[in-house]
Amino acid sequence: MYDRRLTLHRGVSNPVSFTFKNEDQKAQDITAKTYELNIIDTESKKAVLTKTLTVLDDGSTVSTKGDASCTITDGDLLKLDAKFYNFSVSDVTNSDNPEITYSDTGYAAAGTIEVLDGAYAQHVSSTSISTFTLSSDTFTSGAITGRPGINNNQALHTIAIYPKNFTGTVTVQGTMETTPSSDNDYFDITSTSLTASSSISTLNFTGVFQNVRFKAVRDTGTTGRVDKILYRQ
């Protein structure tokens, strides 16, 4: 692989490419190969991120030689501190017997990668939901994107509920449908119960969803409501 220290920036997607060469610096045929990039915390010695590389088409009519890449998204970096890490690339074509891939001309197996803050804005404004459809005692919001493109399975979603003398249950629902069209497209993620509350209530959850919505069901005989919900993905 080409000898270089890698840098990753929070707030954007980071394309990373590798060139595979032999000791004579000639690109190797990797058409039938599968490679994994592992980022390892230098303190815990544990892998904190693993990405499968995509072999790139070099335009050759004979074979694809030398280059493979992956994209490390902003969501991938959310759980990583800004600091130095080690990285390694493994040949996992045979998953039962992964093979070493050297990172430089000195035959070191690990390279250096740095996660940086500050070059790009990371703050994301909360989405304010104040329009609900009322049916009987149920307030239901429309679909709000869960931003699946930048999030991952560890992504944290936070909400702040602004009730007005509300007694009942507020439920967060998710869907994997891009354009949900019915209640059957949604499933419950998490919920909280409130009693005659006019105080801000918070709720957190994790996961990847195409869209989410909020459903507040007030107890029969009560007249409270939910004025708005602030949602940050």
Side-chain angles (χ1 to χ4, degrees):
M1 295 189 299
Y2 187 71
D3 184 4
R4 168 180 278 181
R5 189 180 77 186
L6 302 178
T7 57
L8 303 175
H9 296 273
R10 292 185 185 278
V12 292
S13 291
N14 296 261
V16 179
S17 61
F18 299 91
T19 300
F20 296 80
K21 298 180 179 180
N22 64 11
E23 62 272 15
D24 296 323
Q25 296 299 298
K26 295 184 181 298
Q28 298 299 288
D29 183 359
I30 59 173
T31 308
K33 297 288 189 177
T34 302
Y35 294 99
E36 279 186 351
L37 167 67
N38 290 287
I39 297 179
I40 299 101
D41 190 304
T42 57
E43 298 171 3
S44 68
K45 310 302 180 184
K46 295 181 179 179
V48 293
L49 181 64
T50 299
K51 304 286 284 189
T52 300
L53 302 184
T54 299
V55 176
L56 302 180
D57 185 356
D58 65 356
S60 170
T61 58
V62 179
S63 63
T64 300
K65 290 187 176 181
D67 296 327
S69 72
C70 68
T71 297
I72 299 175
T73 67
D74 183 27
D76 290 329
L77 299 178
L78 288 176
K79 61 181 179 181
L80 303 187
D81 295 329
K83 63 177 186 178
F84 286 97
Y85 296 84
N86 287 335
F87 75 88
S88 62
V89 174
S90 304
D91 180 348
V92 294
T93 307
N94 180 356
S95 59
D96 293 329
N97 186 30
E99 296 182 359
I100 188 171
T101 303
Y102 297 105
S103 69
D104 62 25
T105 54
Y107 296 100
T112 302
I113 197 165
E114 184 179 10
V115 176
L116 297 173
D117 279 332
Y120 298 92
Q122 298 175 58
H123 175 75
V124 178
S125 298
S126 298
T127 301
S128 180
I129 302 99
S130 57
T131 301
F132 301 89
T133 300
L134 177 60
S135 176
S136 184
D137 286 313
T138 302
F139 299 81
T140 307
S141 76
I144 305 104
T145 179
R147 301 178 74 197
I150 71 165
N151 284 320
N152 56 32
N153 288 330
Q154 302 300 318
L156 178 65
H157 304 249
T158 62
I159 69 171
I161 305 164
Y162 290 74
K164 184 69 173 180
N165 196 32
F166 180 83
T167 297
T169 302
V170 178
T171 301
V172 182
Q173 297 184 313
T175 179
M176 301 310 296
E177 296 292 335
T178 305
T179 54
S181 58
S182 71
D183 290 343
N184 293 332
D185 290 333
Y186 288 92
F187 50 85
D188 292 349
I189 300 172
T190 187
S191 63
T192 186
S193 296
L194 305 177
T195 302
S197 177
S198 295
S199 301
I200 299 173
S201 179
T202 60
L203 195 59
N204 300 329
F205 59 98
T206 59
V208 175
F209 311 97
Q210 285 288 345
N211 292 283
V212 301
R213 74 174 185 180
F214 304 99
K215 184 171 72 173
V217 182
R218 66 186 175 194
D219 289 357
T220 301
T222 63
T223 58
R225 65 181 188 272
V226 172
D227 283 339
K228 71 174 179 179
I229 291 175
L230 295 182
Y231 170 48
R232 178 169 293 178
Q233 310 96 309

